[in-house]
Amino acid sequence: MDNQSVILAVANPPGSATRGIVRASGTDACRVLADAMDSSCHGANDVRARRRGVHVVSLLAPSIRALAIVMPGPASATGEDCAEIHTVGNPYVLERIIEAVITRSGGAARRAYPGEFSVRAVMSGRIGIASAERVAASIMAETDADLAAASMLQTGAVEQSTARDADEIATLLALVEAGIDFTDQDDVVAIARPQLLRRVCSVRDGIRARCAVAAGAESAQRAARVVLTGKPNTGKSSLFNALLGQTRTVESAQSGTTRDAIEHACTLPGGTEVIMVDAPGIEDAVHEVDVLMQARAHEAINRADVIIRCSAADDKDPGAMVETHSTTTRQATTIYVRTKCDIVNVSTTTNSHATIATSAHTGAGIPDLRNAIARAVSKHGPRNSHEFMLGVARLALLKEAANALDEVVIIDAPELVAAALRTALDRLGEVAGAIPPDDVLGRLFSSFCIGK
Ligand SMILES: Nc1nc2c(ncn2[C@@H]2O[C@H](COP(=O)(O)OP(=O)(O)OP(=O)(O)O)[C@@H](O)[C@H]2O)c(=O)[nH]1
Ligand SMILES: [Mg+2]
């Protein structure tokens, strides 16, 4: 990753806003921005001189007045010189500013990659890898539960246990190296291989166990996706709105009203938050748009943790829909629901499965359905096992450490054993606080958005 260029990005969310921000970071950030300003304006000289503070400037292209905020390094978010241009929140104007700055920079500036501002903050030691993971998790959060999980990413438990592992591996490495260096001296005894293997395997198994707990905690923390599905016009959207307690999606007597998967966070009894998804009705695709709708519906079903299969109370052949859905690839829990039960009374037990009778119009059965979803979601595991919450970067580092320790078990030559132990020690050291190498950072920061 190139650390020399000045990186630029729009730092506010996509779309129009009252104010817009172009963010720059890099050793030459102030000079590069000043070159895109009218130098007869005092503010441009303050920016060029890296003077901390807010300066009024005139941009050359487009020719508008703006505020420039200068935050010289190392006391800045990235540790480098940072500067921001605050102006009108028009995406077109912000893009023009970035283009103009890059063009005038003579190759010194470029657009930032996703997460690159945070990469630089980690590289310069301004934030630790755990904080960066927390930023990544916060960016991707869809619910309050996701945000809470993001905040748990920095409990320190992982660092402490990893520091203990690193300590043990450092001891073993010292013993192995002593064996290599002093084989001719009687009073230095290298560690016996069985003892070495026992201690290495103990550390490795501990690491793997923590990785497994972390993976479990991650999936437990992720809000479950609850997808409503069934034939067109079954009353899925009406049920979706009834479950949410607000009208979020269009209901209509016309078949095929819902054309896209619509998502909304929903809090269930007991406080569990889920992502409720209203999907297009399942039917044979005739027109081009039907193909797209069916693709959206199947995509939603395939990502579901809980599937609510809806069939209308007056549907003479509700089983047909059940067959259509048998291609689901994930292990989702299915809840069978009869809709529109205010029109016709239905039996809620069939030979194969229990069914919940509902009516979006009268509200009958909605509390039962909400309870059933909460029960189904709770099957996905405890949602508070976040002591060992890990982000993707630290998880990858720990896995690499465990893999290196696997090598110790299968190779015999002391030099190679020492090299593998050193690799494991480096990875563990990175988790316990040191700076991780570029490739691991790349894995983490590819999940960021530009400007973060
Ligand atoms: N009587 C009665 N009518 C309902 C109920 N739920 C939905 N409807 C009616 O059924 C029709 C279809 O409702 P929607 O919720 O749009 O059905 P949908 O399954 O989302 O339909 P598509 O999006 O086209 O697949 C509308 O006219 C609703 O008013 C209900 O509980 N009782
Ligand atoms: Mg609908």
Side-chain angles (χ1 to χ4, degrees), residues 139-151:
I139 290 169
M140 290 184 285
E142 294 178 296
T143 64
D144 286 347
D146 290 347
L147 270 181
S151 70

Side-chain angles (χ1 to χ4, degrees), residues 197-210:
L197 294 190
R198 189 177 47 73
R199 289 172 66 174
V200 162
C201 290
S202 163
V203 172
R204 179 199 61 186
D205 296 347
I207 294 171
R208 290 244 160 85
R210 285 203 301 284

Side-chain angles (χ1 to χ4, degrees), residues 232-238 249-252 254 256-260 262 278-281:
N233 229 16
T234 319
K236 300 178 295 300
S237 299
S238 308
T249 170
V250 177
E251 316 165 3
S252 123
Q254 193 179 329
T257 301
T258 307
R259 297 193 156 199
D260 212 336
I262 294 159
D278 180 24

